[in-house]
């Protein structure tokens, strides 16, 4: 293949590895292709172009050149679908890169920019989601290793996964959320204090209502509410972690009144326990969430 033509094909295709080609053997690719051919031509089954395209796409993304070429032919000649030269160009380019000797000529004859078909976009979205899930699992494993001895049960790991999924949405470092949950409820989703603080992050009813938590004993809802509150406190106290923790334990009004960590043994012990797990004194914050505490101007940047 002419190097210039190869470059054109690569640019036209913008081929994204789906990972499927390595996971599917030749026999499976052939099975999908043969099933697709049956649906395309109505051989032994009712003709169904959509089913044929789905199966051809599976086979093509797994590395089957014939299936990619057949898809190009379907779209170039409007075989059971509306003609789409952009899709045809994509499939002919892919078939050429997979070794089909006729596909490059078909691609050049179209002289049309390639357009990525929906099944390819869906495959890429699926691969991206898998990559995110794999990264999340790795992050959970890393956190579990970092806090070895503190995370021991499947339930604790399940909760950590929720934290890793949700914490970035609120700009919260997972380690901080983990430490708060550990101190507040020790991972007990049904925890209930004598002050009626509820669930994993021990939300009192007023806080739950403030952050729209309707089911405080639902793990995900409770964590969302707790993260929302931490996000607000971080903005209010401009990232000062000890003040945020003091406020989470005793209320921001109490911290404002004392102009710092209140002299309560419970609150001071609470901060110390969390600091043993999450030792940072500063956490990034979003200043747009709320105005800073006016009671503590000397502590604000």
């Amino acid at each position: 293949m002419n190097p210039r033509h190869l470059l054109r094909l690569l640019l036209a295709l913008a081929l994204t590895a789906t990972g499927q080609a390595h996971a599917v053997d030749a026999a499976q690719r052939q099975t999908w292709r043969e099933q697709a051919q049956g649906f395309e031509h109505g051989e032994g089954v009712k003709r169904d172009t959509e089913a044929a395209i789905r199966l051809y796409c599976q086979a093509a993304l797994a590395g089957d050149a014939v299936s990619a070429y057949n898809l190009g032919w379907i779209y170039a000649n409007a075989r059971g679908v509306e003609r789409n030269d952009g899709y045809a160009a994509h499939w002919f380019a892919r078939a050429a890169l997979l070794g089909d000797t006729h596909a490059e000529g078909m691609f050049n004859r179209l002289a049309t920019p390639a357009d990525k078909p929906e099944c390819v976009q869906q495959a890429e979205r699926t691969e991206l989601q898998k990559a995110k899930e794999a990264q999340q699992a790795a992050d959970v494993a890393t956190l579990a290793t970092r806090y070895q001895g503190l995370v021991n049960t499947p339930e604790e790991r399940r909760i950590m996964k929720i934290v890793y999924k949700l914490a970035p949405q609120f700009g919260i470092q997972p380690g901080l959320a983990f430490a708060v949950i550990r101190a507040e409820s020790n991972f007990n989703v049904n925890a209930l204090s004598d002050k009626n603080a509820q669930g994993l992050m021990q939300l009192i009813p007023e806080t739950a209502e403030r952050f729209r938590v309707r089911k405080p004993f639902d793990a995900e809802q409770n964590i969302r509410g707790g993260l929302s509150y931490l996000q607000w406190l971080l903005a209010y106290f401009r990232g000062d972690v000890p003040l945020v923790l003091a406020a989470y334990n005793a209320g921001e009004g109490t911290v404002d009144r004392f102009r710092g960590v209140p002299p309560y043994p419970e609150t001071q012990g609470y901060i110390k326990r969390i600091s043993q797990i999450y030792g940072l004194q500063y956490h990034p914050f979003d200043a747009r969430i709320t105005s800073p505490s006016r009671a503590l101007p000397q502590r604000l940047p």
Side-chain angles (χ1 to χ4, degrees), residues 35-288:
Q35 290 173 340
Q37 289 169 334
F39 281 117
E40 181 187 2
H41 301 293
E43 298 171 351
V45 293
K46 184 178 178 180
R47 181 174 291 176
D48 187 336
T49 304
E50 288 187 7
I53 288 173
R54 283 196 302 272
L55 287 161
Y56 276 141
C57 185
Q58 281 183 276
L61 292 179
D64 188 69
V66 175
S67 293
Y69 186 92
N70 288 353
L71 282 165
W73 187 263
I74 286 173
Y75 283 111
N77 294 281
R79 296 290 300 273
V81 295
E82 221 176 293
R83 177 168 176 160
N84 190 318
D85 286 355
Y87 286 2
H90 174 96
W91 290 120
F92 285 137
R94 187 180 287 267
L97 289 170
L98 289 171
D100 190 289
T101 56
H102 302 293
E104 185 181 354
M106 295 298 295
F107 171 80
N108 290 330
R109 191 178 305 168
L110 284 169
T112 300
D115 190 13
K116 196 173 290 183
E118 174 56 34
C119 71
V120 178
Q121 296 180 46
Q122 179 59 47
E124 291 175 357
R125 288 193 293 267
T126 299
E127 287 300 313
L128 180 60
Q129 182 60 35
K130 287 180 181 177
K132 287 181 178 178
E133 290 173 358
Q135 184 59 55
Q136 184 186 84
D139 289 342
V140 169
T142 299
L143 190 59
T145 300
R146 187 181 304 162
Y147 301 127
Q148 192 170 12
L150 299 177
V151 180
N152 302 301
T153 69
E155 175 65 4
E156 290 170 350
R157 287 191 288 274
R158 181 184 78 87
I159 291 166
M160 285 178 68
K161 287 181 181 180
I162 297 174
V163 169
Y164 255 104
K165 179 179 77 172
L166 297 180
Q169 298 176 20
F170 296 87
I172 305 295
Q173 294 173 1
L176 176 60
F178 166 82
V180 170
I181 291 172
R182 184 80 187 183
E184 290 286 348
S185 66
N186 198 25
F187 292 94
N188 180 3
V189 295
N190 298 310
L192 181 66
S193 77
D194 54 4
K195 297 178 181 177
N196 202 27
Q198 302 169 339
L200 288 169
M201 299 192 77
Q202 289 290 275
L203 306 178
I204 60 173
E206 292 82 358
T207 303
E209 182 178 4
R210 177 179 172 186
F211 294 103
R212 299 182 178 87
V213 177
R214 294 190 176 129
K215 297 179 180 178
F217 295 108
D218 175 86
E220 188 158 329
Q221 278 202 34
N222 189 284
I223 291 172
R224 281 186 182 278
L227 290 171
S228 295
Y229 189 29
L230 284 173
Q231 182 186 47
W232 188 92
L233 289 171
L234 283 165
Y236 189 62
F237 291 113
R238 289 313 196 236
D240 188 315
V241 172
L243 295 185
V244 167
L245 296 176
Y248 198 96
N249 178 261
E252 64 264 23
T254 303
V255 176
D256 283 344
R257 190 168 67 253
F258 282 96
R259 295 183 176 272
V261 176
Y264 301 157
E266 177 190 339
T267 300
Q268 293 176 351
Y270 176 83
I271 295 172
K272 184 177 180 180
R273 288 200 310 278
I274 290 182
S275 296
Q276 290 172 346
I277 301 173
Y278 184 84
L280 299 181
Q281 299 294 297
Y282 173 83
H283 188 295
F285 62 91
D286 185 348
R288 297 169 298 178

Side-chain angles (χ1 to χ4, degrees), residues 1 5-15 63 65 68 90-101 103-104:
M1 185 179 293
H5 290 171
L6 176 60
L7 179 59
R8 281 191 65 226
L9 289 171
L10 289 169
L11 290 173
L13 187 56
L15 183 61
H90 174 96
W91 290 120
F92 285 137
R94 187 180 287 267
L97 289 170
L98 289 171
D100 190 289
T101 56
E104 185 181 354

